[in-house]
Amino acid sequence: MKTATKAMTQAATAAVQPPKAAKPKPAKSKPAAKPRAVAPRSARFETGTHTCAHGTRKYRVYLPSAIGAGVPLPLPLLVMLHGCGQTPEDFAKGTGMNALAEQRGVIVVYPAQPREAHANRCWNWFRPEDQGRDGGEPALLASLTRDMLARYGADPARVYVAGLSAGGSTAMLLAHAYPDLFAAVGCHSGLPPGAAGDKTSAIIAMKQGSPGRRLATPVPTIIFHGSDDHIVTPRNGRFVAIRAVETFPGLRAVELTRTVPGGRAYVRTSHRVGQGRSWVEHWLVKGAGHAWSGGSRAGRFVDPGGPDASAQMLRFFLSHRTTRKTRAAPPTGNAGA
């Protein structure tokens, strides 16, 4: 655990060289790794390469058994962006998302950031050229997403994106650059769009927090952040929530405090209209560091003692969809940093 935490600290911040992070505090009663159902043989975890005008990226894609079972409706599509120092395979193991996707009938694609793009496989969330629509990494990832929609006949109304750390920050940028494509976004231990514009400002944003910029289009958003995250301060999780809430008029905040049996306490703040579904959720996991909450020890950079971020994100995502009007009217206000 000590070696893995040190590796995560170095990988997540090598580009901006912040100070050494503290080791995430373990839960008082260390729970066993959450069991995940074994995928049936008819499900597939395939490897592919996508090339477009904005570059090339390899990826892994999980195709649930529902694809070959004659399901009449098109399946939802989820894009999962790994954190620094991770690979799609490691991210899939740690989050346990494939097993959940099998249960809910969801296609999951894991784009891979190569070392050629960043020495520690970080998504370049802090570079201006990788923050807007029709250019850089957001354009490449949007192109890959559209290719998955066409290739597997996924549901264009139910397309989602989530990520960890640099992946979470890029997920936010991607969702707000392409709100005509993504119905909801999940940000785990990340920063809001516009939080930084270069390596120097990234150091400050990660350590002190940054409110980022105002967002032009409402996108349903779920946020997870550890209260003891010393790599990306939890203030950034609150800023992500603030920016998301600003785009939805008339939301009411409802706060709930609970504890995972044998694990960590957490505070969930849901922003909704009346008693309806949440449009923005912010989960603060007490005592957790810079790691995926509720993850499996089969992967790295996880905190099994926290609430299950994968299950909660998937639950949140599937309650939202885009409309034909939204998909037919690409916005211009969210382009750029």
Side-chain angles (χ1 to χ4, degrees):
M1 179 65 178
K2 184 175 181 181
T3 301
T5 304
K6 182 178 179 181
M8 184 58 167
T9 304
Q10 294 171 340
T13 58
V16 293
Q17 298 180 346
K20 185 177 180 181
K23 177 181 177 181
K25 297 178 182 178
K28 290 182 180 180
S29 178
K30 198 171 184 180
K34 291 181 174 63
R36 298 288 196 196
V38 177
R41 290 186 179 182
S42 55
R44 308 191 303 277
F45 195 31
E46 298 183 345
T47 301
T49 301
H50 177 75
T51 299
C52 66
H54 305 284
T56 298
R57 290 295 184 275
K58 294 182 178 179
Y59 62 86
R60 297 296 300 271
V61 58
Y62 182 79
L63 304 171
S65 58
I67 287 182
V71 176
L73 298 177
L75 301 183
L77 173 65
L78 171 61
V79 180
M80 289 283 284
L81 302 177
H82 62 73
C84 297
Q86 290 185 307
T87 63
E89 294 80 5
D90 179 56
F91 196 40
K93 289 178 182 178
T95 61
M97 190 61 81
N98 288 356
L100 290 169
E102 178 62 33
Q103 296 170 12
R104 304 295 293 269
V106 177
I107 299 168
V108 188
V109 59
Y110 301 85
Q113 181 74 317
R115 292 194 184 278
E116 292 78 14
H118 191 285
N120 284 289
R121 300 193 181 97
C122 303
W123 298 97
N124 293 294
W125 60 274
F126 53 87
R127 300 195 314 192
E129 62 267 34
D130 291 308
Q131 294 183 357
R133 187 181 178 95
D134 298 329
E137 291 176 355
L140 193 163
L141 292 167
S143 176
L144 169 59
T145 302
R146 292 191 177 107
D147 182 59
M148 295 294 100
L149 280 168
R151 186 184 300 267
Y152 300 110
D155 187 352
R158 295 184 293 168
V159 182
Y160 314 103
V161 60
L164 170 65
S165 190
S169 304
T170 295
M172 291 298 300
L173 290 167
L174 182 60
H176 283 277
Y178 295 90
D180 51 319
L181 180 58
F182 294 97
V185 58
C187 181
H188 200 310
S189 309
L191 297 91
D198 53 31
K199 292 181 180 180
T200 300
S201 58
I203 294 175
I204 299 171
M206 291 167 68
K207 290 175 58 180
Q208 301 179 8
S210 171
R213 58 179 169 83
R214 283 187 173 272
L215 302 171
T217 307
V219 178
T221 305
I222 181 170
I223 305 110
F224 273 78
H225 218 113
S227 68
D228 287 11
D229 189 336
H230 300 294
I231 296 176
V232 177
T233 175
R235 283 192 291 274
N236 283 309
R238 292 194 289 272
F239 283 133
V240 172
I242 288 169
R243 289 308 192 198
V245 170
E246 285 176 340
T247 64
F248 291 96
L251 297 186
R252 180 176 65 92
V254 178
E255 189 174 288
L256 176 70
T257 301
R258 291 287 187 272
T259 300
V260 175
R264 299 194 185 280
Y266 61 90
V267 179
R268 184 195 71 191
T269 305
S270 301
H271 300 267
R272 62 186 71 195
V273 177
Q275 298 299 316
R277 60 184 170 175
S278 298
W279 292 95
V280 179
E281 286 187 10
H282 176 246
W283 295 64
L284 182 66
V285 185
K286 299 291 187 177
H290 196 70
W292 189 270
S293 181
S296 166
R297 292 193 183 91
R300 300 182 300 162
F301 316 136
V302 297
D303 184 349
D308 192 336
S310 296
Q312 294 300 332
M313 285 190 180
L314 205 54
R315 180 266 312 163
F316 179 87
F317 291 156
L318 294 176
S319 69
H320 296 281
R321 60 178 61 211
T322 56
T323 64
R324 289 185 179 181
K325 181 178 179 180
T326 299
R327 296 194 297 277
T332 58
N334 284 332

